[in-house]
């Protein structure tokens, strides 16, 4: 009898036929609970959609509303890599680097630049202001012709100096919307040197364009959507008589009167480091 009573109590806890309750609640009670949560979650979804809508109204499709960035832009090199080792007698050791530079510089071909971009006045900023609420988009971009890189353009020497043991490295600054990298008409420039332990091994370095400058006419940058044909200015570095058959630790920096020096805590802010070794032994 006790077992039957326990069994009956357990069943009644789930479904009680005498009170018509399921899990202790009647159908009307369950209906009210479900209705409450349905209304509650519809309200939450509506609040979320309204909040997202209001936030989206504050955004500009062409420019970030808020920019929280480092004061010093990063620098990148092409070909990519922390270590570059080539052998002047082994084409395979540097062929991948020349192919990388060919692909990277293809968008800078003079004919393509003339088709897409404008000839701008050098040594001054190329401002393109909006007219009140009327956006001046898409904005124009200045030509950066591949030929400006001269001996590192790959137009005359398709090996970019790698076969002769005088390799070229391409440097660019990361894009920062609205950045004005120089003041008083002074353009920022790149300088490269060996680290202390290799200071006597780097030899003479050539810069293209002249003095390794990023001309002011390529700034400010207005963003990928606003300036769809923007071509980042480049600086090419050519090592003319670097010490052979040894590892050389090299560091390149951006020098500007309007860009603060990079922080030691961020190794990519305003500088880039890499190791170069040119072997001549077969």
């Amino acid at each position: 009898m006790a077992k039957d009573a326990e069994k009956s109590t357990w069943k009644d806890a789930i479904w009680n036929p005498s009170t018509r309750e399921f899990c202790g609640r009647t159908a009307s009670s369950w209906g009210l609970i479900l209705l409450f949560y349905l209304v509650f979650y519809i309200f939450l979804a509506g609040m979320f959609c309204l909040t997202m809508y209001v936030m989206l109204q504050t955004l500009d499709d062409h420019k970030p509303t808020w920019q929280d960035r480092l004061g010093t832009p990063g620098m990148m090199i092409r070909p990519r890599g922390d270590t570059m080792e080539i052998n002047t007698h082994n084409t395979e050791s540097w062929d991948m680097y020349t192919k990388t530079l060919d692909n990277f510089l293809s968008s800078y071909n003079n004919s393509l630049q003339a088709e897409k971009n404008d000839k701008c006045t050098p040594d001054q900023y190329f401002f393109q202001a909006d007219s009140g609420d009327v956006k001046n988009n898409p904005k124009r971009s200045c030509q950066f012709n591949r030929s400006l890189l001269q001996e590192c353009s790959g137009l005359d020497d398709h090996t970019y100096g790698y076969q002769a043991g005088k390799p070229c490295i391409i440097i660019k600054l990361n894009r920062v919307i609205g950045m004005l990298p120089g003041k008083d008409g002074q353009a920022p420039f790149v300088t490269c040197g060996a680290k202390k332990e290799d200071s006597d091994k780097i030899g003479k370095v050539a810069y293209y364009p002249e003095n390794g400058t990023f001309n002011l006419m390529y700034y400010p940058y207005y963003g990928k959507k606003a300036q769809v044909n923007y071509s980042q200015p480049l600086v090419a570095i050519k090592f003319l008589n670097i010490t052979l058959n040894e590892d050389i630790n090299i560091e390149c920096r951006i020098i500007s009167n309007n860009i603060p020096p990079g922080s030691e805590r961020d190794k990519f802010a305003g500088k880039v480091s890499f190791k170069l070794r040119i072997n001549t032994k077969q």
Side-chain angles (χ1 to χ4, degrees):
M1 294 294 291
K3 290 184 178 180
D4 291 340
E6 289 180 4
K7 187 175 182 180
S8 177
T9 302
W10 178 80
K11 287 182 177 179
D12 289 345
I14 297 177
W15 169 250
N16 191 330
S18 61
T19 60
R20 304 187 65 80
E21 293 180 347
F22 176 72
C23 292
R25 291 184 180 275
T26 63
S28 59
S29 177
W30 279 115
L32 290 173
I33 289 176
L34 291 175
L35 178 62
F36 169 79
Y37 280 107
L38 177 63
V39 173
F40 177 67
Y41 284 115
I42 289 175
F43 173 76
L44 289 182
M47 285 293 293
F48 174 77
C49 292
L50 178 62
T51 302
M52 290 300 297
Y53 174 78
V54 172
M55 291 182 64
L56 289 173
Q57 299 312 301
T58 67
L59 300 181
D60 189 323
D61 288 339
H62 299 91
K63 180 182 178 182
T65 304
W66 304 103
Q67 294 189 70
D68 184 12
R69 60 174 176 81
L70 293 173
T72 307
M75 295 177 68
M76 302 290 290
I77 62 170
R78 295 292 185 277
R80 286 191 178 103
D82 295 329
T83 301
M84 282 179 277
E85 183 173 351
I86 66 172
N87 190 310
T88 56
H89 298 289
N90 182 5
T91 304
E92 293 182 355
S93 70
W94 48 262
D95 186 57
M96 58 181 176
Y97 296 135
T98 59
K99 288 181 178 178
T100 296
L101 292 175
D102 280 337
N103 292 333
F104 177 68
L105 293 175
S106 61
S107 62
Y108 290 91
N109 287 338
N110 291 18
S111 58
L112 192 59
Q113 288 290 313
E115 179 183 333
K116 296 193 308 179
N117 295 332
D118 299 345
K119 285 187 176 181
C120 300
T121 304
D123 303 323
Q124 66 182 42
Y125 289 123
F126 186 33
F127 290 110
Q128 301 176 74
D130 297 326
S131 299
D133 294 333
V134 180
K135 301 295 183 183
N136 178 23
N137 294 324
K139 299 184 187 297
R140 295 175 294 156
S141 300
C142 297
Q143 294 180 16
F144 187 94
N145 293 317
R146 184 173 179 171
S147 57
L148 290 172
L149 301 180
Q150 300 180 43
E151 293 183 24
C152 291
S153 66
L155 298 176
D156 297 322
D157 178 9
H158 298 295
T159 71
Y160 298 91
Y162 283 83
Q163 188 174 32
K166 300 177 180 181
C168 289
I169 304 294
I170 308 295
I171 293 180
K172 64 175 184 174
L173 275 178
N174 289 348
R175 301 182 185 189
V176 178
I177 294 177
M179 181 181 72
L180 302 176
K183 61 182 179 181
D184 301 325
Q186 296 183 23
F189 62 93
V190 173
T191 180
C192 295
K195 294 187 177 180
K196 291 181 180 180
E197 63 272 19
D198 300 321
S199 58
D200 58 339
K201 301 176 183 178
I202 193 171
K204 187 177 180 181
V205 179
Y207 297 90
Y208 310 103
E210 187 177 2
N211 300 321
T213 58
F214 293 108
N215 200 288
L216 297 180
M217 67 180 175
Y218 300 106
Y219 303 95
Y221 171 57
Y222 288 97
K224 189 174 183 179
K225 285 189 175 182
Q227 215 168 355
V228 293
N229 292 326
Y230 181 73
S231 296
Q232 286 178 265
L234 308 173
V235 168
I237 315 297
K238 184 165 186 164
F239 300 97
L240 301 178
N241 57 343
I242 197 168
T243 301
L244 305 175
N245 304 305
E246 291 189 38
D247 292 338
I248 315 293
N249 293 292
I250 299 169
E251 182 176 271
C252 296
R253 291 177 174 269
I254 183 71
I255 306 298
S256 168
N257 61 5
N258 206 33
I259 297 178
S263 169
E264 292 298 327
R265 291 179 292 180
D266 187 349
K267 64 179 181 178
F268 297 111
K271 59 183 177 181
V272 63
S273 300
F274 57 95
K275 183 185 291 184
L276 180 61
R277 182 184 180 95
I278 303 174
N279 295 319
T280 57
K281 300 176 182 178
Q282 295 185 352

